Amino acid sequence: MKIIQIPLLRDNYGYLLVCEKTNQAAVVDPSEAEPVLRRVEQEKLELVAILNTHHHRDHTGGNEGLLARLRLKVYGHKSDKARVFGMTDGVDEGDAIQIGEMKGGVFFIPGHTTGHVAYLFENNLFCGDTLFTAGCGRLFEGTPEQMQSSLKKLGALPGDTKVYCGHEYTESNLRFAMSVEAKNPQLVARFERVQGLRTRGLSTVPSTLEEEKLTNPFLRWDSKEIQASVTSAVPGTRLDPASIFGAVRKMKDAF
Ligand SMILES: [Zn+2]
Ligand SMILES: [Zn+2]
């Protein structure tokens, strides 16, 4: 399969997943329709589906424009039928999806919103605004417990899983990560690498899950340095994973 990253709006990414055997394609999180349609035309693809990770407008804003032009299946979490424009196929944890000859799976990962899902095709994970490169989404509708368990679920995938998230936020996420775990050598190296890429205007997405587990503060509730940062910022924080995660998330919100 082939993956085409499409920069949308200010810092969103949509993705075309292309079945190279049939030329059929799906688009993940079309913030807007026109750039997606242009790319589909350029690549001479047959767009057959929209895969929405969650209902936010910057991930679904293009649904209407695409459906005005093409007949498409629209996937999203089954609880979000009223909030995802044009949804035809409500999905849930463990469901299978087929696009051309590509087979994918669904993870239910609430926390950023109550109806957030991720899609996994081979080792490519499309995780919207739940797991970001070097960060995670804000808790708009869920609890720290929900988000931490969603992140734990994604973190259990193999280390070579590629992380295709919904935004180009890596550099600012790493700036925060450095404020809570500056002694992590892998983090320091990643920060330098990412600054180099951004200086040249290049994308820092995808990363790998292995890289995230080594440097993403929202997956590192076991890190002694992060635990120390949390207890010095919020004395008395309990040191269970959900409490540590919740405290780091609050620190990031205020960063
Ligand atoms: Zn969102
Ligand atoms: Zn978003």
Side-chain angles (χ1 to χ4, degrees), residues 144-177:
E145 288 73 20
Q146 275 179 326
M147 189 63 149
Q148 192 265 332
S149 97
S150 293
L151 290 171
K152 193 175 165 194
K153 189 190 285 186
L154 298 181
L157 291 166
D160 67 354
T161 304
K162 293 202 177 98
V163 176
Y164 290 91
C165 57
H167 293 266
E168 177 61 62
Y169 286 163
T170 322
E171 190 175 9
S172 62
N173 283 341
L174 287 170
R175 226 176 281 285
F176 169 74

Side-chain angles (χ1 to χ4, degrees), residues 27-40:
V27 60
V28 177
D29 285 352
S31 321
E32 39 184 348
E34 281 313 313
V36 174
L37 287 167
R38 265 202 305 278
R39 201 61 197 265
V40 164

Side-chain angles (χ1 to χ4, degrees), residues 54 56 58-59 112 129:
H54 65 297
H56 285 158
D58 62 312
H59 298 254
H112 177 66
D129 289 356

Side-chain angles (χ1 to χ4, degrees), residues 57-77:
R57 187 80 191 153
D58 62 312
H59 298 254
T60 58
N63 283 23
E64 193 170 356
L66 291 172
L67 290 167
R69 293 270 303 274
L70 301 166
R71 219 180 124 107
L72 306 169
K73 284 195 169 197
V74 180
Y75 295 88
H77 189 253

